[in-house]
Amino acid sequence: MRTKGGHSAVGLHYKSHQIIDGKPKLEGLPASFPGEEACQTLILTCEDPELKLEAELLYTVFEKEDIITRSVRIVNRNTEDIYLTRVYSACIDMDARDYELLTLHGSWARERQIERRKIGFGKQSVDSVKGESSHQEHPFIAWMSPETTQTQGEVYAMHFVYSGNFHAQIEKTQFESIRAIMGINDEDFCWKLGKDEAFTAPEVVLTYSAQGLGTMTRHLHDFYREHMIRSKYTHCKRPILINNWEATYFDFDTEKLLAIAKRASELGIEMLVMDDGWFGHRNDDATSLGDWFVNEKKITGGLKHLVDEVNKLGLKFGIWMEPEMISPDSELYRAHPDWAIAIPGRTPVLSRNQYVLDLSRKEVRDYVYDAISKILHSANIEYVKWDMNRQLTDIGSAALPADRQGELYHRYVLGVYELQERLITEFPDLLLENCSGGGARFDPGMLYYSPQIWCSDDTDAVERLKIQEGTALMYPLSAIGAHISVCPNHTVGRNTPFETRGNVTLAGTFGYELDITKIPQEDQEMIPKQVEMYHKYSDLVREGDYYRIASYRENHEFDCYMVTSKDRKEALVTFVQVIGRPNFHSRCVRLQGLNPDWNYRIEGTDGTFGGDALMNAGLMVESLWGDAQSRLYHLIAEV
């Protein structure tokens, strides 16, 4: 904080408190909501009487999910302006033990890779200053006892409900204590607060587990399903879609799309999604972002004609958009170059041949929303993939005064939230999927607007094991955007069996991203079986309890996870042998989450086993010949 006189001292003291039923909304921000279960909120008000500054600390308890949320609201009661330079949302102090820190790092096509390391003296942190939560780090930290596994050990965790710059830090002090903090990154952040104005910090989700990482995971899964995701699709089966991106890239027209749709319909796929390249004069990534009108040289007959023809084939229709961006080669940029984020007098940096629109400005947000709304009203469009393919740089707004330039990062994120709130309010039946160059904005804030987020541009089944393991550590499987793609895979060049690609994709939203008319006939013939598999297991995967059994990331040989229904009467085990080894007749995996007093039948076999035996002695997995081989085991309780 900084006063008009340049001072930064703050002394906050207790003023009052109240406990209320339910939970206040956070103005302009995504945040958890009570849902069907009751919750209570403690509002602790502190003040600095010299500065006439108030801080409201909000703690909401969700008893059923073992979750506490925390946010902060700052109010200036002074007649003079105050400049906020740091507002963290949560701070925890506790005695230090021999803890380890868990974080998730990555890059494009390698998102959310789990890392554990010992917490030593000093500060250890993860953060982002890219204007988004980022590929490189994730707004999550957990600290735990060294012996912690999936099933044992103490775990404390913090997760940030925000889609922009963040800072998460844990410090072991000279006094053998630990302080963990999380909030908006204070780099280039400065918020001017006038008299009686308030600033609300985003929410942090806090949880504790005394039974290892698996219990932490299930706390978060249940919490996000019941108290963060608002879509009508939250507890509904998602349509199986086919996206044309890896099938055609920019080289498509109405005839190509209808050919894909026709074959997809014959095989049981339920939605065609038209990806990048349908608007302006866009035939590569160098033009037309911002010109959200249909290129009728490609989409002959117009968008409504295409959508109607796809609907006649029995498929729903979805569309890709990148509303936050603007191309230098666009009608929009030629008319409004000042709408791009840039520093006056400097040439802004291009990334992927595009600039970022200044969404802190109302006229820009209104233009973007009107363009989206017109497209969606023009045809029966039931799905939108909302993409963002570059980070923010050259932070400057032509509309903000000098003493508010430090607000741009946060105002931009608030602009994104406003746009998506308007979208799902006007189109409540729309299935919205967020995306950012893959998984660069996969965070709890986005879940508030879209029930699913594209997990990664890397669709290789083997790479996806590690990416989806890290993602499922916190997020329900129903939120993980996952597609079956062609081989050799377009990202890593690897060949994996079509069956394994389907089995791995089942731990997500399940779709296809390939030219269905060109894949081998045997793969095409497998698609109806995969469609049947998805419909059979979708409810279980979407609603069930997730258990991590073995990690390819750790053992470098095989992966195994399972989902158990809430009543424990049904379970689905996925086993993937990444590397084949000689002289292995079988492998034993100890299951979790079953009722030890019940017997379970393994569908498709004559085998019946006690739940206690499957969890303590294990399930014997047959020897598989070859790399990237997989099996599903469906367990049904005999009760």
Side-chain angles (χ1 to χ4, degrees), residues 238-462:
R238 317 288 165 80
I240 301 173
L241 65 81
I242 184 165
N243 183 299
N244 74 295
W245 179 242
E246 288 193 17
T248 65
Y249 294 100
F250 293 103
D251 183 19
F252 65 87
D253 54 23
T254 297
E255 287 68 30
K256 277 189 180 181
L257 293 178
L258 289 178
I260 292 172
K262 182 176 185 299
R263 185 60 180 141
S265 176
E266 293 168 352
L267 297 176
I269 294 171
E270 299 162 324
M271 176 185 284
L272 174 72
V273 175
M274 178 173 64
D275 211 279
D276 193 357
W278 56 268
F279 54 93
H281 61 279
R282 190 167 171 91
N283 294 304
D284 55 37
D285 66 3
T287 75
S288 301
L289 290 171
D291 295 345
W292 299 112
F293 50 85
V294 176
N295 180 354
E296 296 202 13
K297 291 181 180 178
K298 291 173 102 172
I299 311 302
T300 51
L303 183 59
K304 188 177 188 307
H305 167 72
L306 171 62
V307 175
D308 288 347
E309 292 301 308
V310 170
N311 290 165
K312 288 176 185 177
L313 293 169
L315 271 67
K316 300 176 185 291
F317 187 88
I319 199 167
W320 174 98
M321 302 185 83
E322 195 171 4
E324 303 166 54
M325 300 295 153
I326 183 170
S327 300
D329 181 8
S330 67
E331 293 183 17
L332 182 63
Y333 188 77
R334 284 185 282 273
H336 299 284
D338 61 308
W339 282 13
I341 289 176
I343 298 172
R346 295 182 180 270
T347 302
V349 173
L350 279 172
S351 178
R352 203 175 181 263
N353 299 304
Q354 62 198 55
Y355 298 135
V356 183
L357 282 169
D358 182 0
L359 296 184
S360 72
R361 300 173 63 169
K362 183 179 185 304
E363 66 270 31
V364 177
R365 297 194 302 274
D366 287 345
Y367 167 82
V368 169
Y369 186 75
D370 288 346
I372 297 172
S373 180
K374 285 177 183 176
I375 290 293
L376 296 184
H377 278 300
S378 72
N380 183 29
I381 298 170
E382 300 180 66
Y383 162 104
V384 167
K385 181 179 180 182
W386 181 303
D387 208 345
M388 179 206 185
N389 275 310
R390 63 155 292 175
Q391 66 193 62
L392 275 61
T393 58
D394 307 282
I395 301 302
S397 170
L400 290 173
D403 62 350
R404 289 193 179 273
Q405 290 293 324
E407 302 176 9
L408 179 54
Y409 269 128
H410 184 57
R411 287 188 180 276
Y412 179 87
V413 178
L414 295 179
V416 174
Y417 291 154
E418 179 191 302
L419 284 172
Q420 296 202 2
E421 184 68 30
R422 290 175 69 180
L423 182 65
I424 63 174
T425 300
E426 184 176 357
F427 302 94
D429 295 329
L430 185 73
L431 175 55
L432 177 63
E433 178 167 341
N434 268 290
C435 173
S436 181
R441 203 155 63 182
F442 202 125
D443 57 65
M446 289 286 95
L447 284 186
Y448 189 70
Y449 305 98
S450 65
Q452 59 195 55
I453 306 171
W454 184 230
C455 183
S456 176
D457 282 343
D458 192 338
T459 54
D460 172 69
V462 172

Side-chain angles (χ1 to χ4, degrees), residues 401 413 554 594:
V413 178
E554 294 177 350
L594 305 177

Side-chain angles (χ1 to χ4, degrees), residues 484-517:
I484 299 164
S485 61
V486 74
C487 282
N489 178 267
H490 287 194
T491 303
V492 298
R494 182 183 285 117
N495 287 300
T496 55
F498 201 77
E499 179 181 17
T500 294
R501 282 176 262 165
N503 290 345
V504 173
T505 300
L506 187 62
T509 56
F510 198 84
Y512 293 85
E513 191 150 341
L514 41 72
D515 189 338
I516 202 169
T517 67

